[in-house]
Amino acid sequence: MSNSTPTTDNEKKKSKGNRLPCSPSRVLHIRQIPSGVTGTEVVSLGLPFGRVTNVLMLRGKGQAFLEMASIDAAVSMVNCYTPAPPHLHNQPVYIQYSNYKELKTDNQHNQIRPQAALQGVNAVQHGNVGITNALAAEGGVLPSHGSVLRIVIENVCYPVTLDVLCQIFSKFGFVLKIVMFHKNNQFQALLQYADAMNAYYAKMSLDGCSIYTGCCTLRIDFSKLTNLTVKYNNEKSRDFTRIDLPFGDGQRTVETSLSTPFGPPGFAPPLGFPQGAGPSVPPVPGALGPLTVTTSAAPAHMAIPGIPGNSVLLVSNLNSEAITPYGLFILFGVYGDVHRVKIMFKKRGIALVQMADATQAQLAINYLNGQRLYGRVMHATLSKYQTIQLPREGQEDKGLTKDYSNSPLHRFKNPCSKNFQNIVPPSATLHLSNIPPSVTVDDLKNLFTSKGSTVKGFKFFQKDCKMALIQLGSVEEAVHALIELHNHDFGENQHLRVAFSKSSI
């Protein structure tokens, strides 16, 4: 094979026949590559997993071979991309082990450009500025984009924190700034690199990948912004070049957990990148494999209150005149099963909410921290307490502590529930279900209006009249309506189900 291009007949036979798949090899076979994809782009697929030592492009067949420096790197790459195929030019490509043990492309004139690209990429991996030559060797020009990426995270079933994004994207270069936000019912972030080419390779390698198997999928585009302005260092925004920025609420330290996100027990994450250098926070069981947050990933003055892995939330800045334990139970129950709620006896604007586990606690923080509730901006973070104690018999409590451990209203007690696939930020549009046949459009509009809502739109589902969408005047109105009307009794044991919708009318 040293003087001829390897054919892919054996690869096809193995994929079509009943033979066992190839044993792990440093050489990987990549297929269904769109026309126009360069060797540089193919090589970029292997960058997060280790050094790429060779590449062979079969342009007429839409295929390529990629040789990694070690079998371990190749295994990591296959394990990552098998459940969540990477995308090149917006098309999925598929990766499997090759039956070749090494690639030799010394005398193949048609491989000059890919080989030059490989050399350029390896120069970048070793900290040299060789990437311009790599692209030039491919016959291309430097991409006309900046260093800011727009990241949309789809199907967010488990928490994705700012520190997680930093850890993942730092594998491709120095991350300067990150801003996280919700827009169009989507979890989004803007991330700025020190160099535009770092942004290019991050997009090429990560677009279409899932942080966890089957969920938290990254959709990445180049932003039109050339620079991000960050005013605060907290769990929603961070400028890694400015450790002097305030938290945003007059606090001097960021009271947010810097541990990696909490994944479901036994969940296999595809983005298990090699651990970065430097001291790190010990990984949490069920989190992103070996992925950990290094101390360099956050300003040195940040404090870590509470207990990483804790399931009890501290919720503050509440409207003490309007808030109730039941209201917090319903609202936080959208993002997990609430076991207990305690409103502080002497400080009614502060409450503790105990979720079923740490994953749900982090998810609730992600979606509800900063949400307006009864005219106040609610703050949610991890508590220093590990459990909420029920009041002792005879202890004055005034009904401020409630146990909901066995509530029938838990949305996530069934592991196969569709609710896991429909976790979205608070939105002005609500999804209604379990609507009795006798209830009309006007009945539902009047019901929501009676609770102070402004109904802007309504639509029954065409295929299922038990479900509908209702659009209210604002997100805050929808939050209030969900608290008031989820489980509303229509009579004859028929109860309305209300959830935030990712659709709009």
Side-chain angles (χ1 to χ4, degrees):
M1 113 166 225
S2 60
N3 295 317
S4 62
T5 301
T7 63
T8 60
D9 293 342
N10 289 337
E11 311 291 333
K12 293 178 181 177
K13 288 178 182 177
K14 284 183 178 289
S15 63
K16 292 181 179 180
N18 295 322
R19 300 182 186 180
L20 291 174
C22 297
S23 58
S25 165
R26 291 193 301 125
V27 180
L28 301 174
H29 175 226
I30 307 172
R31 53 194 172 83
Q32 295 191 24
I33 300 173
S35 60
V37 169
T38 65
T40 307
E41 293 170 309
V42 170
V43 169
S44 72
L45 295 176
L47 291 181
F49 308 96
R51 192 164 62 91
V52 179
T53 52
N54 212 340
V55 60
L56 181 65
M57 300 290 292
L58 307 180
R59 297 189 185 279
K61 299 182 177 181
Q63 301 180 29
F65 289 91
L66 198 68
E67 181 185 272
M68 303 299 292
S70 68
I71 289 183
D72 286 345
V75 169
S76 295
M77 185 172 170
V78 170
N79 288 346
C80 169
Y81 290 142
T82 297
H87 287 63
L88 293 175
H89 294 197
N90 298 317
Q91 296 294 322
V93 296
Y94 300 93
I95 300 173
Q96 63 192 38
Y97 298 116
S98 169
N99 57 340
Y100 297 105
K101 300 306 177 186
E102 64 176 343
L103 287 180
K104 294 182 181 180
T105 55
D106 317 341
N107 302 324
Q108 295 181 29
H109 63 87
N110 62 337
Q111 298 299 317
I112 293 175
R113 287 183 176 180
Q115 289 300 308
L118 175 62
Q119 293 173 12
V121 170
N122 280 332
V124 172
Q125 281 189 308
H126 288 85
N128 301 322
V129 187
I131 201 161
T132 304
N133 295 334
L135 285 171
E138 287 283 27
V141 295
L142 285 170
S144 58
H145 58 73
S147 59
V148 180
L149 295 176
R150 184 177 71 95
I151 304 159
V152 177
I153 306 176
E154 298 178 345
N155 196 17
V156 183
C157 296
Y158 296 96
V160 178
T161 66
L162 184 147
D163 296 301
V164 173
L165 291 180
C166 178
Q167 187 71 61
I168 292 172
F169 283 82
S170 290
K171 301 302 175 184
F172 300 89
F174 182 62
V175 175
L176 297 180
K177 305 169 186 177
I178 303 178
V179 177
M180 298 170 63
F181 55 95
H182 290 110
K183 184 178 179 181
N184 300 328
N185 290 339
Q186 291 180 316
F187 186 93
Q188 300 190 28
L190 292 171
L191 183 146
Q192 182 176 346
Y193 276 105
D195 186 88
M197 294 315 302
N198 300 137
Y200 172 76
Y201 273 103
K203 180 187 184 305
M204 291 306 309
S205 297
L206 297 177
D207 187 28
C209 289
S210 296
I211 298 176
Y212 295 108
T213 304
C215 71
C216 300
T217 303
L218 301 173
R219 302 297 180 196
I220 305 172
D221 289 307
F222 296 110
S223 171
K224 295 179 181 178
L225 299 174
T226 57
N227 184 57
L228 297 182
T229 300
V230 176
K231 297 181 179 179
Y232 307 113
N233 279 337
N234 54 32
E235 69 273 14
K236 294 297 182 184
S237 63
R238 196 82 54 83
D239 185 338
F240 295 104
T241 67
R242 295 277 310 276
I243 65 171
D244 58 317
L245 293 179
F247 177 79
D249 290 320
Q251 302 180 39
R252 295 185 178 180
T253 59
V254 176
E255 293 189 352
T256 179
S257 171
L258 296 184
S259 61
T260 39
F262 305 104
F267 217 46
L271 291 185
F273 290 117
Q275 181 172 316
S280 61
V281 179
V284 179
L288 285 172
L291 184 62
T292 58
V293 177
T294 63
T295 52
S296 62
H301 70 287
M302 288 188 177
I304 305 177
I307 302 169
N310 193 4
S311 63
V312 179
L313 301 175
L314 174 65
V315 186
S316 58
N317 201 37
L318 298 170
N319 185 332
S320 59
E321 300 298 322
I323 199 65
T324 64
Y326 180 78
L328 291 172
F329 164 68
I330 293 297
L331 178 57
F332 280 77
V334 173
Y335 301 104
D337 291 337
V338 177
H339 283 192
R340 291 178 181 176
V341 178
K342 180 181 182 69
I343 295 177
M344 298 303 185
F345 186 74
K346 295 183 178 180
K347 295 182 179 180
R348 301 292 176 89
I350 299 175
L352 297 175
V353 177
Q354 184 173 338
M355 308 297 288
D357 56 42
T359 298
Q360 296 178 1
Q362 280 287 335
L363 200 60
I365 290 174
N366 274 12
Y367 284 114
L368 294 177
N369 182 46
Q371 173 60 48
R372 290 188 66 85
L373 179 64
Y374 300 124
R376 306 285 292 272
V377 177
M378 176 174 57
H379 300 306
T381 186
L382 288 177
S383 167
K384 64 182 179 180
Y385 299 103
Q386 290 183 285
T387 186
I388 294 177
Q389 297 292 335
L390 295 176
R392 297 185 299 273
E393 188 175 350
Q395 182 180 358
E396 187 179 13
D397 181 69
K398 294 188 176 181
L400 296 177
T401 305
K402 295 292 184 180
D403 188 341
Y404 297 104
S405 302
N406 298 314
S407 172
L409 298 184
H410 286 164
R411 298 177 189 251
F412 303 96
K413 58 185 176 181
N414 180 357
C416 299
S417 170
K418 290 184 178 180
N419 290 328
F420 283 103
Q421 305 300 320
N422 293 296
I423 297 174
V424 297
S427 60
T429 303
L430 296 174
H431 179 273
L432 312 181
S433 59
N434 206 38
I435 302 171
S438 59
V439 173
T440 67
V441 173
D442 288 339
D443 291 336
L444 289 167
K445 286 183 176 180
N446 292 336
L447 177 62
F448 278 82
T449 302
S450 71
K451 300 300 180 180
S453 298
T454 304
V455 178
K456 294 290 188 72
F458 186 93
K459 182 176 70 175
F460 270 115
F461 280 49
Q462 289 185 346
K463 295 182 179 180
D464 188 350
C465 289
K466 291 183 178 180
M467 295 193 292
L469 295 177
I470 186 167
Q471 184 176 342
L472 304 183
S474 67
V475 174
E476 186 176 6
E477 275 191 24
V479 170
H480 298 165
L482 182 142
I483 291 173
E484 291 287 330
L485 294 174
H486 179 63
N487 201 46
H488 173 78
D489 190 357
F490 285 115
E492 298 182 3
N493 200 30
Q494 297 184 88
H495 296 267
L496 180 66
R497 298 286 179 258
V498 184
F500 297 117
S501 173
K502 53 189 171 185
S503 304
S504 58
I505 300 175

